[in-house]
Amino acid sequence: ANEYQVKAIEDTRLGIPVIIHDECLHGCMARYSTSFPQAIALAATWNPELVYRVSKAIARETRARGIHQCLSPVVNIVRDVRAGRTEESYGEDPYLTSVMGAVFCKALREEGVIATPKHFVANFVGDGGRDSNEIHFSERILREVYFPGFEACIKAGALSVMAAYNSLDGTPCSSHRWLLTEVLRGEWGFEGFVVSDYGSVAGILYKHHVTDRLEEAAKLALEAGLDVELPSTY
C-alpha cells in the first residue's frame, strides 16, 4: 500500500493519493486479518455494543494494512429466501439493520476508514431472488423498509455508498437521480461519494438495456450522481 501511494503521489501528473478499498463485512479481507462471525450472526446477538467493538477491531486492522475504504456494511433487507448473500446482511428487520449498520459505520469513521453501506437500494429482492433484476416498490415501502438502514449509516458517518445492480421502476440504480442525488444528498445530507457495484455501470447497457452505448451509460451514471466506477472503467 505504501508503494502504491508513493507511485501515485510522485510518479503521476496530478499526484493524487489513491484510496485502496477492500471488503470487511466480518473482518478485513487482507491476509492474516481476524475473521469474526458473519454479519447475520453478529445481528443475531442483538448486541450493538458488541458489534461496535468488533467493528473497531476490523477498522484498526484495515487501516493498518493501508486500506482506507471498506465496501461494507450490507444493509439490504433480506426477505426472500432465495437471496444468495443473506449471510452478508443483518437480516429482515429495518430497525435491527439500522442499529447494527450505524454502529459499524460509526466505528470505522472513528478509526479513519471510509464505510460504504450497500447496495442502494433493494438489492436482494429481484425476480427469482437475483440481485440484478428489476424492482417495483412504492415509495412508502422504500421509505419504511429499505431506506432506514442506509439513512442510519449516513447519519453515523459513512462517507461512501454503493449503488445497486438492480433497477428501480425501470431505471438502473446506478443511474437513478432520485436515489443518488435527491434522496441521498438532498434529503439526508450525504457529503461523501457514490461508487458503483462492480461492473454496474456497464450493466446499465448489458443488463438493463436502457442504452446501446457504454459512453451513454457512463453519462447517465455521472448525471445521476454516481462518482466512481468500480472496479475499473470499461
Side-chain angles (χ1 to χ4, degrees), residues 23-26 29 37-43 71-76 78 83-91 97 104 118-119 123-124 131 197:
E23 301 280 359
C24 61
L25 279 166
H26 61 107
M29 286 290 289
Q38 182 54 285
I40 195 72
L42 292 173
L71 304 184
S72 311
V74 170
V75 287
N76 291 123
V78 181
R85 296 170 68 178
T86 300
E87 78 281 358
E88 297 183 5
S89 76
Y90 295 118
T97 294
F104 186 100
K118 62 185 186 183
H119 312 79
N123 186 232
F124 288 167
D131 63 9
D197 204 341

Side-chain angles (χ1 to χ4, degrees), residues 114-163:
I114 299 168
T116 310
K118 62 185 186 183
H119 312 79
F120 196 49
V121 65
N123 186 232
F124 288 167
V125 289
D127 292 342
R130 300 299 298 275
D131 63 9
S132 301
N133 289 21
E134 58 190 44
I135 300 297
H136 299 285
F137 282 159
S138 69
E139 185 173 341
R140 177 176 179 177
I141 291 175
L142 289 171
R143 290 190 180 277
E144 291 186 359
V145 178
Y146 295 96
F147 277 1
F150 288 96
E151 183 175 7
C153 288
I154 300 308
K155 303 299 184 185
L159 288 176
S160 185
V161 170
M162 179 179 285

